[in-house]
Amino acid sequence: MIRSGALHEDARAMQDELVQLRHALHRRPEVGLQLPWTQETVLTALDGLGLEVSTGTGLTSVTAVLRGGRPGPAVLLRGDMDALPVQEQTGVEFTSEVDGTMHACGHDLHTAMLVGAARLLSAHRESLAGDVVLMFQPGEEGWDGAGHMLREGVLDAAGSRVTSAYGMHVMSAMSPRGEFTTRPGTLMAASDELRVTVRGSGGHGSAPHLARDPISVAAQLIGDLQTMVTRQFDVFDPVVLTVGLFAGGTKRNIIPDEATFQATVRTFSAEARERMRVASVRLCESVAAGYGLEAEALYLEEYPVTVNDPTHTAFAAGVAQEVFGEERYAPKVFPQSGSEDFSRVLAEVPGCYLFLGAAVGKDHATAPNNHSPRAQFSDEVLADGALLHAELAVRALERDAAA
C-alpha cells in the first residue's frame, strides 16, 4: 500500500510544475481532433515515467498505460486536450497566442492534472494493484474524440478491458473554487442537432400571395417546437431546444426559395431523446405541409446522456471527502444541461464523472462561465485535481482487485 499522505505530499510538491505546463498549453491552444503541438507537449511531459505510450491513427490522441507492481485489473483516467474557436478576452499574463482560439473550457487544466496524476502514480507504481490507462483525448468539443478513441481500442489498451473509468471537469463558475461535486445517474444531458430546411417558392416581397414564403414558416416552426417541448414532454424529464442559427434571403423585398435554421437539443434520458428525434421531425414536416411548403428536417445525434454508475459515484464522493475533507464535497442536486463525450466511456464501463470548482475570485455565482471569452480558471486547483485522479485510481484498483 502507498504510505498515507505520500500522494498528497508529492502533489503539493509538483504544483509549480503543473502551473507551468498549464500556462504553456493555454498559450498554444488547438481545436478539433488534430492537436500536434499539444500531443508533443504531453509526450514530452510523460517522457521518463516508464509508461507504455501509443498515439492515435485518426486523431492526435495519447494513450499511456502505467503497469502496477502487483497483478490486478485496469482502471482508466481521462483528460481532454482541445480548445475552442473563441477569441480570448481575459487579459491574463498567459493569454492565448493563437488568434481566435482559446482554452475557454479548461481542458488545459484537465491535461495538466492528468499529467500530474501520471507522475504521482508512476512514483508509487510498485504499490499499485493493477494497471492505469491514461486517456489524453482530443476533440471533445463537438468532434467526438472519445468515440474515435474507443474505436481505436483505448478501453483495452492494458491488454484487458478496464473495470472502471473516471474523469473530471473544471468549472469557471457555479461552484466555489476547490469544491468537488457529482451525482449518481444522469449527470449531463445528451446533445443533438436539429437541422431544418424549409423550401417554398420565391417572389416579390410586395406580393407574398404569389409566392410561398419559407421564412415565415421557418419562424412558425421555431415557436411550434418550443410549444411542443412544453406540451408533449414531462417537466420532470425535460427537453431544452435552442435555435442558434437562422438563415434565409438576400434582401428585404425578396422572398427566397428557402430558409434554414439549426437548433441544439438537450435531453436527459434515452427515452426523451428518442421521442424528440421522432416528434421534432414530424412536427416540422407536417406544419410546413399545412402551409403548402416542404420541410427537410434532420435529427443528428451527437453525444448521449452522461450517466454515472451509482456505486462508483458513492465511491468517488467518498474518496473526495476522505482526501480533502467533507467541506470540499457537495452532492449535485440536478443534472447539467451541458453534454460530454465521456458519456461514451461510461456507456461501456462503469465509472463516475465529477466537477471541480475553479473560479477565480470569490464570487463564483457571477463569474463568466465555461466557453465565455472571459472565462478564467484558477491554477490553485491543479495539484488537487491531479491528486484526486491518482487517489481514485489507487483505490479503485484495490477495490476491483478484491472483488
Side-chain angles (χ1 to χ4, degrees):
M1 290 290 291
I2 298 173
R3 178 177 61 84
S4 177
L7 289 175
H8 193 281
E9 294 166 7
D10 291 352
R12 295 272 72 78
M14 69 172 60
Q15 167 70 9
D16 290 345
E17 295 178 13
L18 297 183
V19 170
Q20 293 176 16
L21 175 59
R22 183 257 165 145
H23 287 190
L25 292 165
H26 194 89
R27 289 189 178 99
R28 294 283 299 273
E30 296 175 299
V31 174
L33 296 171
Q34 302 302 324
L35 320 176
W37 185 86
T38 304
Q39 181 189 56
E40 187 59 37
T41 300
V42 168
L43 291 172
T44 300
L46 298 178
D47 189 38
L49 297 182
L51 308 177
E52 298 174 13
V53 177
S54 60
T55 56
T57 57
L59 71 171
T60 54
S61 60
V62 176
T63 301
V65 179
L66 190 157
R67 300 292 182 185
R70 295 184 285 151
V75 300
L76 181 143
L77 302 175
R78 180 272 212 157
D80 41 4
M81 306 188 294
D82 56 320
L84 286 158
V86 172
Q87 183 66 47
E88 183 162 0
Q89 299 177 29
T90 63
V92 297
E93 176 271 330
F94 51 94
T95 292
S96 170
E97 298 172 359
V98 181
D99 190 49
T101 307
M102 175 191 174
H103 270 295
C105 205
H107 295 186
D108 49 336
L109 284 85
H110 300 170
T111 304
M113 290 190 301
L114 193 56
V115 167
R119 293 176 179 175
L120 290 172
L121 294 168
S122 179
H124 300 276
R125 66 191 319 140
E126 293 306 317
S127 299
L128 294 179
D131 305 324
V132 181
V133 176
L134 303 161
M135 177 182 177
F136 292 90
Q137 179 206 310
E140 188 278 330
E141 298 288 357
W143 299 83
D144 196 17
H148 285 275
M149 291 192 72
L150 289 179
R151 288 187 288 275
E152 293 193 1
V154 67
L155 297 182
D156 301 300
S160 60
R161 177 64 52 112
V162 297
T163 55
S164 55
Y166 301 93
M168 195 183 313
H169 205 301
V170 293
M171 302 300 294
S172 65
M174 298 192 291
S175 294
R177 182 170 61 252
E179 180 181 272
F180 297 94
T181 183
T182 191
R183 71 188 306 274
T186 297
L187 177 71
M188 302 180 75
S191 174
D192 299 317
E193 177 186 352
L194 178 63
R195 186 180 301 174
V196 180
T197 300
V198 180
R199 296 188 176 92
S201 179
H204 201 289
S206 66
H209 62 290
L210 299 178
R212 288 183 295 155
D213 183 0
I215 290 181
S216 62
V217 172
Q220 176 72 35
L221 287 176
I222 292 173
D224 288 349
L225 285 165
Q226 299 295 344
T227 300
M228 181 191 73
V229 164
T230 65
R231 292 297 176 267
Q232 295 188 26
F233 289 85
D234 189 338
V235 66
F236 297 108
D237 188 9
V239 173
V240 177
L241 184 148
T242 300
V243 174
L245 184 152
F246 189 104
T250 57
K251 196 178 180 192
R252 70 181 186 279
N253 64 344
I254 301 173
I255 297 173
D257 281 340
E258 66 179 42
T260 63
F261 65 87
Q262 295 176 20
T264 185
V265 183
R266 308 298 170 116
T267 50
F268 295 86
S269 70
E271 294 76 17
R273 188 186 197 193
E274 176 59 21
R275 286 187 58 213
M276 191 64 185
R277 183 186 67 80
V278 174
S280 60
V281 171
R282 181 179 60 223
L283 182 143
C284 291
E285 293 175 346
S286 60
V287 170
Y291 285 98
L293 283 76
E294 174 187 324
E296 178 185 14
L298 301 176
Y299 194 91
L300 307 174
E301 294 188 351
E302 295 172 341
Y303 296 163
V305 179
T306 301
V307 181
N308 279 338
D309 178 87
T311 301
H312 288 259
T313 302
F315 163 78
V319 172
Q321 292 175 82
E322 183 175 338
V323 173
F324 299 102
E326 292 186 5
E327 71 281 0
R328 292 279 302 278
Y329 177 80
K332 193 170 183 63
V333 178
F334 300 110
Q336 187 164 309
S337 55
S339 62
E340 169 60 64
D341 69 355
F342 193 64
S343 57
R344 299 204 187 280
V345 176
L346 294 179
E348 295 292 328
V349 297
C352 179
Y353 198 62
L354 304 97
F355 294 107
L356 170 58
V360 173
K362 297 181 180 180
D363 192 1
H364 61 273
T366 60
N369 204 356
N370 291 32
H371 288 218
S372 165
R374 292 168 293 281
Q376 294 189 53
F377 302 85
S378 174
D379 290 331
E380 294 179 16
V381 304
L382 287 168
D384 285 351
L387 177 58
L388 185 59
H389 276 96
E391 289 279 9
L392 287 170
V394 170
R395 298 172 189 230
L397 287 175
E398 293 287 348
R399 179 201 63 205
D400 294 351

